[in-house]
Amino acid sequence: MFDDTLLDDIDAVERLDRRGVLRALATSGAQVRVSARSADEAGLARLADMQPRGVVVAATGGSGAVGGLFDTVTRRHSAVPVQTCRSTPLPAWVGAYDLVVAVSQSGRAAGTLALAAEAARRGANLLTVGVADSPLADVCARAHGTHVPIDGAGSSSRAALWAQATPVLMAADALGLAAIGRETIESLADVLDEQARRLGPRVESWDNPAKALAAEVSESVPILLGCGPLGESAARRASAMFGRTGRVPVAYGVLPDAASQIVACFDGPLASSEGDDRVGRGIFADPFLDGVTSRPLRLIVLRDASTDGGGYSAVTDAVVAAAEDAGVRVSVIDATAPDPLLRLAHHVAVTDFAATYLALGLGYDPGDSRHVRLLRDARPTDPAP
């Protein structure tokens, strides 16, 4: 059972969050600033002289969200093909005229190491992001590439998204594949700082959107909906965080394509209009006399609430109206920043904190899973560089 009172008990939260996931999420703004300085010192600006035929972003596990983010921010501006890669082999077309960006916080992720080593063997240009003095940094040095060192201490790759993503975003700008200037990077850090202040553990549940969302997810069968390409990255990240960190699977879709798929669920057995007792949700329902009740469907919308709504305002409003007509409860997370990357950061912050609070409210350590540990022996070992 979800215990929402636990979330306002700082001592209890600190006892459960043994790996400091909340603390790491609160440093997201600082992650951006520190990684931006590291990228400058590594000479990332030199990429402006490079004109790759194509770009592949190799990132696996908790770092995988970086690849999706790079793909979405470059989609509108890039004149060269961009592809993400989560497992070997590299695409067959990758060669000496291409750039491979390999990201691993620890610098030891087996899949990312294998992809970087393969890129080096093919003579591709290599940009790597990870801790210094790691196997990934060594692969990059041998290939005469550019390595951006980041801090890998004290947090998982899931909680260090922005430390890993910032050099990659700056690389996209330097290559001319996206328009993400230094002002945007500074604003990104500021947005993440502001979200940490309003979503942190010392902000009580009645005034904390992330704690409220965690409680709503715990009581429902949630469907999460993003808007457009950057909304897709935010929704995919949220789905992964609710599963991996929060221990609750969350399906997701993206507007406009998924509108019909989502709305059709409002006619199904998990949704009921007022007065429909098929799922036994009446306020006087007794689970002993009436049987076990099903959890109700809930729609979670990561809404683009900027001036033009990103072009998705009408379809978003239609989906929300359909949910309300069907008696489906709706949680709307609005982001109003003028820059789409900043709106994505807002959505990611809320859902990252919510997934962490979900685990804590259920009594789990958000940074550790016994069954995930069981997978480690089944995974391939790190390849030799």
Side-chain angles (χ1 to χ4, degrees):
M1 293 289 292
F2 184 81
D3 182 0
D4 56 350
T5 63
L6 186 150
L7 301 183
D8 293 331
D9 184 336
I10 299 300
D11 292 336
V13 165
E14 290 180 350
R15 283 195 302 271
L16 268 178
D17 189 12
R18 291 186 290 272
R19 301 199 177 189
V21 176
L22 283 175
R23 189 179 306 111
L25 293 177
T27 67
S28 293
Q31 291 176 27
V32 171
R33 296 183 183 92
V34 171
S35 288
R37 286 196 296 270
S38 292
D40 289 337
E41 292 167 0
L44 207 61
R46 292 195 300 267
L47 295 179
D49 299 326
M50 184 183 296
Q51 295 181 324
R53 179 183 59 180
V55 180
V56 171
V57 180
T60 63
S63 303
V66 176
L69 182 58
F70 186 90
D71 177 53
T72 54
V73 300
T74 59
R75 189 174 302 180
R76 181 170 294 182
H77 297 275
S78 177
V80 302
V82 172
Q83 185 171 339
T84 59
C85 197
R86 291 174 177 262
S87 62
T88 55
L90 280 172
W93 54 264
V94 174
Y97 296 102
D98 305 303
L99 172 67
V100 173
V101 182
V103 183
S104 166
Q105 184 200 21
S106 67
R108 297 179 178 277
T112 304
L113 271 174
L115 290 164
E118 186 178 350
R121 286 194 296 271
R122 295 192 196 181
N125 298 289
L126 195 58
L127 168 64
T128 58
V129 179
V131 300
D133 301 322
S134 64
L136 183 62
D138 185 53
V139 169
C140 187
R142 294 179 185 220
H144 304 288
T146 299
H147 180 74
V148 179
I150 61 173
D151 184 7
S155 65
S156 69
S157 57
R158 285 173 289 126
L161 168 64
W162 297 106
Q164 300 167 86
T166 299
V168 178
L169 294 171
M170 294 173 65
D173 183 72
L175 289 163
L177 307 182
I180 304 173
R182 180 52 63 112
E183 183 178 345
T184 301
I185 295 296
E186 292 172 355
S187 296
L188 173 62
D190 291 341
V191 165
L192 293 169
D193 282 344
E194 175 59 27
Q195 293 308 306
R197 283 191 288 271
R198 67 189 287 263
L199 304 172
R202 296 188 181 278
V203 180
E204 296 188 354
S205 295
W206 62 270
D207 197 32
N208 190 317
K211 290 182 180 180
L213 181 60
E216 291 163 356
V217 170
S218 75
E219 299 166 350
S220 63
V221 176
I223 297 180
L224 200 144
L225 191 61
C227 302
L230 283 166
E232 179 177 7
S233 287
R236 185 189 299 115
R237 163 76 176 186
S239 177
M241 285 293 286
F242 277 120
R244 175 65 178 84
T245 300
R247 314 303 206 277
V248 173
V250 174
Y252 78 93
V254 184
L255 292 177
D257 187 56
S260 297
Q261 168 191 330
I262 298 298
V263 169
C265 295
F266 302 161
D267 299 327
L270 297 181
S272 70
S273 299
E274 188 175 348
D276 187 344
D277 63 359
R278 285 175 300 170
V279 293
R281 290 185 299 183
I283 61 173
F284 299 111
D286 187 321
F288 296 100
L289 298 177
D290 304 322
V292 178
T293 60
S294 298
R295 292 186 176 187
L297 195 66
R298 177 177 287 274
L299 177 66
I300 303 170
V301 182
L302 305 181
R303 185 163 62 184
D304 181 345
S306 59
T307 304
D308 63 356
Y312 303 103
S313 296
V315 67
T316 302
D317 292 345
V319 172
V320 170
E324 292 172 343
D325 178 71
V328 172
R329 295 176 181 178
V330 181
S331 302
V332 179
I333 304 170
D334 282 330
T336 60
D339 189 293
L341 177 61
L342 304 185
R343 295 196 293 272
L344 177 143
H346 177 280
H347 286 145
V348 167
V350 174
T351 52
D352 277 2
F353 272 96
T356 306
Y357 289 133
L358 179 59
L360 293 168
L362 293 170
Y364 299 115
D365 179 350
D368 187 35
S369 166
R370 178 172 64 89
H371 290 98
V372 170
R373 292 199 305 271
L374 293 176
L375 292 177
R376 290 175 183 166
D377 291 339
R379 289 173 173 161
T381 57
D382 292 358

